[in-house]
């Protein structure tokens, strides 16, 4: 194998799309997916590639320093794409500690292991840290986040991601670790855990349950199809400038309530319901504490320097996503019942 690549968090939503892309497009790479399999990690996201010769799965907790060192010792990686994280803002409000452990300490453990293994020969190595636009805080009506925007995280989740970004840059400047960072806007698409807005709403509409809209539904997010994010990650990993940061976004801002209305109309069509039926499920609920008002990314650096651009038009991407959830009912049911958590034992016990 030409290169050994560690992808952390590859059983999660975005990680599973990145793992699939790398396993399929780079048969000359050995792709090692290291994941703790928290509630958000689901190996059933990647059953199609699990028996590929250039793929390995390692169940590890990145908070465990020794386990991370042992993993580097075992594989001697050439590159790291670090996605593993606690990722849900609402959970960071009810239980912030896990976010500090995984997102900050876990990242430091990976940085230290990479530094130790690459210090004598950093040439051609790369530590790629996947981050979020939430580190920049909240925008007013105007403007966009650029790579130069000052950090202003406001939730335990975004503060933990901001800390990890700072640490990654510190390891670059102080220890010369070859790093690159990208900060992306809200992703949507197949395999997203049904606690996030779009899959939660799809599932509730399907089951004629209330769709919880926080506050007045006026908060704005910039939505990007997950495979477009995976393509950007591929480009940045291979052609990004060491030490640089790239913003990734859909140039696709939606007020939550308008997005939910669009989703309702798509679902009415798909489920052969009278137009307007699903909208009746919209229920305004108590706002998220510290709810950021607006995120919007300026991704012109990535577009101009690496030639990236987002592909599907939003309603087409949303329809594709709805179709995926409606035709993968087993995937969803196994998550809702907790059955998916037994998959690892079934597939990997005794290996
Ligand atoms: P996710 O919650 O779906 O998946 C996270 C994965 O990390 C899971 O497989 C989980 O098991 C694993 N993990 C968690 N803690 C771990 C630990 N201690 N050790 C090893 N593995 C662990 O997350 P996602 O939405 O796919 O996000 C992936 C990354 O992208 C995160 O770093 C997130 O901050 C970032 N990001 C997400 C979005 C988005 O819209 N979802 C946007 C921008 C950036
Ligand atoms: O911007 C990138 C970030 O996007 C990522 O870093 C995070 O990992 C990811 O979870 C996402 O964060 P958000 O908080 O924006 O996503 P979420 O799907 O939780 O919420 C989207 C918007 O919808 C937000 O304004 C809150 C609102 N919302 C969410 C849920 C779950 C509701 O109104 N009702 C809901 O039930």
């Amino acid at each position: 194998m030409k290169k050994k690549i560690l992808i952390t968090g590859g059983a999660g939503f975005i990680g599973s799309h990145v793992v699939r892309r790398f396993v399929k497009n780079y048969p000359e790479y050995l792709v090692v997916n290291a994941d703790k399999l928290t509630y958000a990690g689901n190996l059933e996201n990647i059953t199609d590639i699990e028996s590929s010769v250039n793929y390995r799965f390692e169940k590890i907790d990145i908070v465990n320093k020794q386990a991370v060192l042992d993993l580097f010792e075992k594989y001697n990686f050439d590159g790291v794409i670090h996605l593993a994280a606690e990722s849900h803002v609402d959970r960071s409000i009810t239980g912030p500690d896990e976010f500090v452990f995984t997102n900050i300490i876990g990242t430091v453990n990976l940085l230290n292991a990479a530094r130790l293994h690459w210090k004598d020969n950093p040439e051609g190595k790369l530590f790629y840290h996947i981050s979020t636009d939430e580190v920049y805080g909240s925008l007013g009506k105007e403007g966009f986040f650029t790579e130069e925007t000052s950090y202003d995280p406001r939730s335990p989740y975004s503060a933990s991601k901001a800390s990890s970004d700072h640490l990654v840059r510190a390891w670059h400047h102080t220890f010369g670790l070859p790093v690159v960072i990208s900060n992306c806007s809200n992703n949507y698409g197949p395999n997203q855990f049904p606690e996030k807005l779009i899959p939660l709403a799809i599932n509730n509409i399907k089951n004629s349950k209330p769709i919880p809209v926080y506050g007045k539904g006026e908060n704005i997010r910039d939505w990007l199809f997950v495979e477009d994010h995976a393509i950007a990650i591929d480009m940045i990993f291979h052609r990004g400038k060491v030490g640089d940061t790239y913003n990734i976004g859909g140039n696709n801002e939606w007020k939550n309530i308008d997005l939910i209305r669009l989703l309702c109309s798509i679902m009415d069509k798909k489920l052969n319901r009278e137009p307007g039926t699903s909208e009746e499920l919209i229920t305004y609920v108590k706002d998220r504490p510290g709810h950021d008002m607006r995120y919007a990314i300026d991704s012109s650096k990535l577009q101009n320097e690496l030639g990236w651009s987002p592909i599907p038009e939003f309603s087409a991407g949303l329809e594709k996503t709805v179709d995926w959830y409606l035709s993968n009912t087993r995937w969803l049911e196994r998550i809702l019942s907790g059955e998916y958590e037994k998959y690892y034992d079934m597939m990997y016990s005794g290996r």
Side-chain angles (χ1 to χ4, degrees):
M1 298 281 175
K2 205 168 113 192
K3 274 189 173 177
K4 292 179 194 154
I5 312 291
L6 168 63
I7 300 182
T8 69
F13 166 48
I14 302 170
S16 62
H17 289 270
V18 176
V19 163
R20 177 176 300 105
R21 184 173 180 86
F22 273 71
V23 167
K24 287 195 164 168
N25 289 5
Y26 302 102
E28 71 278 22
Y29 291 177
L30 179 69
V31 176
V32 179
N33 172 14
D35 197 299
K36 178 183 174 184
L37 301 181
T38 66
Y39 79 93
N42 183 354
L43 285 175
E44 293 179 2
N45 290 344
I46 36 175
T47 45
D48 55 327
I49 54 91
E50 70 186 356
S51 29
S52 305
V53 285
N54 64 334
Y55 172 75
R56 303 279 185 282
F57 176 70
E58 296 282 352
K59 186 171 190 283
I60 75 147
D61 182 349
I62 57 167
V63 179
N64 182 335
K65 187 176 174 173
Q66 192 55 50
V68 172
L69 288 169
D70 291 347
L71 189 72
F72 271 74
E73 195 59 44
K74 179 169 173 186
Y75 289 102
N76 199 16
F77 297 113
D78 300 288
V80 176
I81 305 178
H82 175 36
L83 294 111
E86 288 292 336
S87 72
H88 191 38
V89 175
D90 292 329
R91 285 182 191 254
S92 81
I93 296 167
T94 52
D97 294 13
E98 218 49 54
F99 288 71
V100 173
F101 298 141
T102 290
N103 299 0
I104 304 178
I105 309 291
T107 301
V108 170
N109 287 340
L110 289 161
L111 288 168
N112 279 334
R115 184 183 164 216
L116 183 73
H117 277 262
W118 299 347
K119 66 178 182 327
D120 296 328
N121 186 17
E123 201 55 39
K125 310 288 195 296
L126 187 66
F127 189 103
Y128 180 3
H129 179 61
I130 306 298
S131 193
T132 171
D133 60 357
E134 299 200 11
V135 298
Y136 298 123
S138 182
L139 289 166
K141 285 197 169 62
E142 305 286 318
F144 297 89
F145 296 134
T146 72
E147 288 81 1
E148 275 73 47
T149 304
S150 300
Y151 275 32
D152 183 22
R154 296 146 52 97
S155 73
Y157 163 68
S158 54
S160 67
K161 291 296 291 188
S163 306
S164 63
D165 292 11
H166 289 318
L167 290 161
V168 171
R169 289 194 185 98
W171 260 243
H172 174 63
H173 291 294
T174 308
F175 304 121
L177 192 75
V179 309
V180 69
I181 299 181
S182 59
N183 296 80
C184 188
S185 64
N186 286 62
N187 285 215
Y188 72 97
N191 304 101
Q192 189 167 30
F193 197 83
E195 64 185 354
K196 306 278 169 75
L197 180 65
I198 290 179
L200 182 141
I202 293 174
N203 187 43
N204 285 15
I205 295 170
K206 193 181 88 184
N207 296 306
S208 299
K209 282 169 53 182
I211 311 164
V213 175
Y214 297 167
K216 294 182 181 156
E218 284 177 354
N219 303 67
I220 293 172
R221 296 292 182 267
D222 172 1
W223 293 94
L224 178 71
F225 194 61
V226 61
E227 283 169 17
D228 284 337
H229 191 184
I231 292 169
I233 289 173
D234 186 340
M235 287 179 166
I236 294 167
F237 182 74
H238 289 103
R239 294 192 281 119
K241 190 163 163 255
V242 171
D244 267 22
T245 296
Y246 296 86
N247 277 358
I248 311 171
N251 198 18
N252 178 38
E253 291 181 54
W254 285 79
K255 257 189 204 167
N256 290 342
I257 189 63
D258 295 338
L259 162 59
I260 293 297
R261 290 206 175 103
L262 173 62
L263 198 54
C264 285
S265 73
I266 294 174
M267 291 291 283
D268 281 344
K269 261 190 263 146
K270 299 280 172 191
L271 299 171
N272 293 319
R273 291 178 181 166
E274 279 295 308
T277 309
S278 301
E279 276 202 22
E280 286 171 20
L281 299 168
I282 292 175
T283 308
Y284 292 94
V285 299
K286 195 166 164 281
D287 208 352
R288 171 186 280 174
H291 198 173
D292 288 338
M293 183 44 85
R294 174 172 167 254
Y295 304 145
I297 279 274
D298 175 350
S299 63
S300 51
K301 176 176 175 182
L302 179 61
Q303 306 213 18
N304 296 337
E305 287 186 14
L306 302 186
W308 175 85
S309 59
I311 303 163
E313 196 253 315
F314 187 51
S315 57
L318 204 53
E319 195 163 333
K320 204 168 155 183
T321 304
V322 167
D323 286 340
W324 188 86
Y325 279 93
L326 293 181
S327 55
N328 285 273
T329 47
R330 196 174 134 77
W331 179 90
L332 198 56
E333 277 157 15
R334 283 172 64 78
I335 285 185
L336 299 172
S337 71
E339 273 301 302
Y340 74 105
E341 291 182 295
K342 297 182 185 152
Y343 182 82
Y344 174 78
D345 288 339
M346 187 185 81
M347 286 303 292
Y348 292 88
S349 60
R351 283 194 177 187

